[in-house]
Amino acid sequence: MSKKINVCHLCNLGMNGKAVFLCNLLEHTDFSKYDITILNYRAEKADAVISRLEKLPVKIINPDSSSTKSYINLLKKHFKNNRIDVVHSHIWDLSGLFLREAKKAGTTLKLKVELWGKPVNIDSTQSEEEWLNALNFSSMKDLCEHHFTKPYYS
């Protein structure tokens, strides 16, 4: 059997739409194929979100404080000490900054995004400007279809 894909989600686990989306995504994930780690931005925790995630085989890591600098230090340490196959950021306004840390640590970034309705494949061999710009147009549908083991859309 092949190795599991090591996925790292960057998300704020407070009560917000991104955290609820991540819960929905992970509740439909085939964990025989994926090892999932969530790096919790700002260390916020909503009981409703955490209670859903605690039922799943995911690892949640919190920064030492709620500062962005503390989170970047957590990212650097995590990316340096772990083999990460996929990094997905649910932190819209800071995704480029955080994914740059993954790239600096040598994580191979391969993103399938949709740019103005046209599919574009982006990887860490492309210029930083190319893939950072394209992140703003990434398609969540591709991520959902890749992770889900049962239909999510009806």
Side-chain angles (χ1 to χ4, degrees):
M1 186 173 164
S2 63
K3 284 185 173 182
K4 287 185 179 182
I5 297 170
N6 197 350
V7 180
C8 180
H9 286 278
L10 312 180
C11 190
N12 174 344
L13 297 178
M15 185 44 94
N16 61 69
K18 295 171 188 176
V20 172
F21 171 83
L22 183 58
C23 288
N24 292 339
L25 175 74
L26 295 177
E27 288 170 345
H28 291 82
T29 295
D30 181 352
F31 289 101
S32 69
K33 296 178 183 178
Y34 302 97
D35 280 327
I36 307 288
T37 301
I38 302 169
L39 300 183
N40 184 15
Y41 181 58
R42 299 217 185 270
E44 291 183 18
K45 299 176 201 161
D47 290 339
V49 171
I50 297 301
S51 66
R52 288 175 69 183
L53 292 173
E54 286 176 341
K55 297 174 187 171
L56 303 172
V58 300
K59 183 177 182 181
I60 300 171
I61 302 174
N62 294 296
D64 295 332
S65 75
S66 64
S67 74
T68 301
K69 183 176 180 178
S70 177
Y71 192 70
I72 290 172
N73 288 336
L74 173 66
L75 295 177
K76 287 178 182 179
K77 182 179 176 183
H78 186 74
F79 295 145
K80 179 181 177 185
N81 296 331
N82 296 280
R83 177 191 59 82
I84 307 297
D85 299 308
V86 177
V87 178
H88 183 83
S89 178
H90 302 267
I91 306 166
W92 181 256
D93 52 344
L94 296 172
S95 285
L97 175 66
F98 296 153
L99 292 174
R100 182 185 313 161
E101 291 304 322
K103 183 177 178 183
K104 282 167 128 177
T107 301
T108 301
L109 298 178
K110 292 205 177 279
L111 306 165
K112 185 174 181 181
V113 300
E114 195 170 289
L115 184 59
W116 299 110
K118 179 182 175 188
V120 178
N121 289 312
I122 296 174
D123 63 46
S124 53
T125 63
Q126 293 174 299
S127 76
E128 187 172 301
E129 183 179 354
E130 270 182 298
W131 61 263
L132 284 176
N133 287 336
L135 283 173
N136 293 324
F137 305 101
S138 63
S139 168
M140 295 302 287
K141 185 177 180 208
D142 287 338
L143 178 70
C144 294
E145 289 173 354
H146 183 70
H147 277 294
F148 290 163
T149 57
K150 53 189 169 193
Y152 184 71
Y153 298 106
S154 51

